Amino acid sequence: MSIPQTGGGPIEDISQLAEYLVEGCKPKQDWRIGTEHEKFGYCHDTLNPLPYDGPRSIKAVLEGLRDRFGWSPVLEGDKIIGLEKDGANVSLEPGGQLELSGAPLETIHQTCDEVNQHLREVRSVAEEIGVGFIGLGAAPIWSHEQMPVMPKGRYKLMTDYMDRVGTMGKTMMYRTCTVQVNLDFSSEADMVQKLRVALALQPVATALFANSPFLDGKPNGHKSWRARVWRDLDSARTGMLPFVFEDGFGFEAWVDYALDVPMYFVYRDGKYIDALGQSFRDFLQGKLPALPGEIPTLSDFADHLTTIFPEARVKKFIEMRGADGGPWRRLCALPALWVGLTYDQSALDAAWDMAKTLDAETRDALRIAASVDGLQGSAGGVKLLDLAREVVDIAEAGLKARACPGAGGMLPDETHFLNALKESVDTGQVPADELLQRYHGDWQGDLSRIYADYSY
């Protein structure tokens, strides 16, 4: 989850909101890659989730990273709830999932170096205190009641709200993990094309990265339970957004959508003020019940944008949000997939030529099929395996065209980061398939073995 935004004066005219998004436009030479991933921490001896406080805890991990590796603490009140260094952040999800929000970097080589450095640092601290971390899309065994609660005001408000608007919001908050990539755009037209491709092809990413076939200690009938959770969270702020594909879509249409999403909070003086279900449109008129007479700032709008959770979303960049958390190879493969598809114009055009053949009904149906069956899913006569094969081929061509060398020039481009995905389209198997094979095979139904075999 995002940290509170700062800066920006009062919003005096609604046009400032679209202008705020326009400020994200960058020339191609300034495009960057920002990768985020979450992981579950647990105690080695009990296999229980890490509490916030204590000798073996999330707090101890954050303090170890701070003291040993030069990260600066981020506090809420007197509680350490994150870290920052060199444009990157380490933050906490509601149930203690540890998230790296990476710095904006030029190449996937740099991104993967960043991920590997972070995992080395976390492992170094974790091993000393007897804890481990594992990359999965959903907690395989822990019940909701077992999950700790992080000391963040934002999460308390969200927890209280979730049962009012859906059935699975608290499961999302406390028992799921994702990997995402944030990418730039050059213009409104570029944003529109990229967002449409992102939304239409997000089911392919969900299928390729499906890695959450277990919940409450047993198979749950889905390859990506995390994707299933998002379908019953809060319809006002999730989904595949068919209006994005309508003629005339642009920054102003995104603002109109955002303003109709009910608010969660307003952040003032280090505290989260309850504005659950209230209207940002009322806020613009000084009529917000939570802060009567007060006009919002641009940072309030930026905060509000972080409470919108569709499969891809716009801030001053585009977030690709459909993938389960997973093993380290996939943490580098996700940015490779989307950079390959969107950072070379020929690849982006090819991706759009494919995406625009999918109507809204098919896109929604593919999203469900990806959650249930991974690459074996299909909908509307479209097989996800065939679609994924074509998507990965386009991404590979896009990365070859980018021709960003790595390893001191020994690697001519970034295409090798797609190898894990190429294996999936060759075999039709995704991480969830391997986990289920192990569960029914050599694990003999003992799901506790997942921690030893799949931790970082």
Side-chain angles (χ1 to χ4, degrees):
M1 295 284 180
S2 302
I3 61 175
Q5 305 297 298
T6 58
I11 300 170
E12 298 173 350
D13 188 277
I14 194 171
S15 64
Q16 291 174 255
L17 305 183
E19 291 167 4
Y20 170 82
L21 298 176
V22 170
E23 290 172 4
C25 296
K26 298 179 177 69
K28 186 172 182 177
Q29 63 267 26
D30 292 338
W31 291 354
R32 296 294 182 265
I33 306 161
T35 304
E36 306 178 17
H37 81 271
E38 303 159 2
K39 50 209 166 286
F40 295 108
Y42 64 93
C43 298
H44 276 310
D45 56 350
T46 66
L47 302 183
N48 287 331
L50 296 184
Y52 172 74
D53 210 347
R56 293 184 305 168
S57 66
I58 286 293
K59 180 181 176 184
V61 172
L62 292 176
E63 290 177 339
L65 293 171
R66 176 197 65 190
D67 296 342
R68 294 180 54 180
F69 298 103
W71 289 83
S72 300
V74 176
L75 303 177
E76 185 168 319
D78 60 352
K79 304 287 189 182
I80 184 170
I81 50 94
L83 305 163
E84 55 188 9
K85 182 173 70 170
D86 299 334
N89 293 277
V90 175
S91 60
L92 301 180
E93 292 298 293
Q97 305 96 313
L98 193 71
E99 177 178 7
L100 173 69
S101 297
L105 300 171
E106 292 186 45
T107 71
I108 303 161
H109 305 291
Q110 295 169 342
T111 290
C112 210
D113 287 346
E114 177 188 57
V115 167
N116 288 332
Q117 176 65 24
H118 169 72
L119 292 178
R120 282 194 296 269
E121 291 180 4
V122 169
R123 189 183 309 116
S124 174
V125 172
E127 287 177 349
E128 288 192 359
I129 60 174
V131 308
F133 284 87
I134 188 167
L136 296 165
I141 298 174
W142 307 325
S143 68
H144 178 74
E145 290 71 27
Q146 284 181 279
M147 301 308 298
V149 179
M150 297 299 104
K152 298 180 71 171
R154 172 183 177 133
Y155 296 158
K156 183 180 188 305
L157 291 174
M158 290 175 62
T159 300
D160 293 342
Y161 188 64
M162 284 298 181
D163 286 343
R164 304 183 210 171
V165 292
T167 62
M168 293 190 173
K170 290 191 292 191
T171 298
M172 178 278 291
M173 291 177 65
Y174 291 93
R175 292 197 287 168
T176 67
C177 284
T178 186
V179 54
Q180 300 177 186
V181 63
N182 305 325
L183 299 175
D184 289 315
F185 45 78
S186 61
S187 65
E188 183 173 55
D190 187 44
M191 180 278 290
V192 170
Q193 188 179 22
K194 286 174 176 171
L195 185 62
R196 288 172 172 169
V197 165
L199 286 166
L201 300 183
Q202 211 62 229
V204 174
T206 297
L208 283 167
F209 291 82
N211 191 36
S212 48
F214 306 115
L215 195 77
D216 295 325
K218 60 184 184 296
N220 55 43
H222 287 65
K223 302 291 177 69
S224 174
W225 184 254
R226 175 189 162 277
R228 169 68 186 89
V229 164
W230 278 100
R231 299 206 311 273
D232 278 311
L233 189 143
D234 180 350
S235 60
R237 68 185 78 239
T238 61
M240 297 286 281
L241 307 186
F243 75 91
V244 169
F245 297 83
E246 295 174 359
D247 290 344
F249 173 75
F251 290 124
E252 289 185 0
W254 187 264
V255 168
D256 282 341
Y257 159 67
L259 292 179
D260 286 330
V261 174
M263 293 178 66
Y264 277 160
F265 61 81
V266 182
Y267 188 74
R268 288 288 183 275
D269 301 320
K271 295 181 180 180
Y272 289 90
I273 297 170
D274 184 346
L276 292 169
Q278 296 177 25
S279 165
F280 208 97
R281 292 187 190 276
D282 289 344
F283 200 5
L284 290 170
Q285 298 174 34
K287 298 177 180 179
L288 191 72
L291 288 173
E294 188 164 333
I295 298 295
T297 65
L298 281 172
S299 61
D300 291 326
F301 183 64
D303 277 334
H304 182 57
L305 291 177
T306 71
T307 70
I308 300 170
F309 308 130
E311 292 296 283
R313 72 179 175 188
V314 180
K315 296 196 277 190
K316 288 188 177 181
F317 46 84
I318 299 175
E319 287 186 11
M320 313 301 186
R321 297 172 48 80
D324 284 1
W328 73 265
R329 288 180 77 202
R330 306 245 161 188
L331 303 182
C332 303
L334 186 79
L337 177 70
W338 289 114
V339 167
L341 289 173
T342 64
Y343 271 17
D344 171 72
Q345 190 60 50
S346 294
L348 180 59
D349 290 341
W352 174 235
D353 284 343
M354 180 172 52
K356 68 186 179 184
T357 67
L358 306 172
D359 61 22
E361 182 179 359
T362 303
R363 294 192 298 266
D364 275 333
L366 286 172
R367 181 189 182 204
I368 295 170
S371 170
V372 177
D373 294 320
L375 287 179
Q376 301 309 311
S378 63
V382 179
K383 295 181 178 180
L384 275 163
L385 182 57
D386 293 341
L387 197 61
R389 184 176 291 111
E390 190 172 352
V391 165
V392 172
D393 284 347
I394 293 171
E396 184 173 36
L399 293 179
K400 284 182 178 176
R402 262 171 61 84
C404 292
M410 295 178 62
L411 296 169
D413 54 42
E414 302 154 307
T415 54
H416 68 286
F417 291 113
L418 292 172
N419 285 348
L421 307 187
K422 293 170 72 174
E423 290 171 14
S424 283
V425 297
D426 286 345
T427 63
Q429 302 288 291
V430 296
D433 293 303
E434 179 181 314
L435 290 174
L436 288 165
Q437 289 164 8
R438 299 291 303 277
Y439 176 81
H440 293 295
D442 62 306
W443 292 350
Q444 298 183 329
D446 180 6
L447 193 48
S448 67
R449 293 180 62 179
I450 199 170
Y451 298 101
D453 290 0
Y454 284 90
S455 292
Y456 290 118

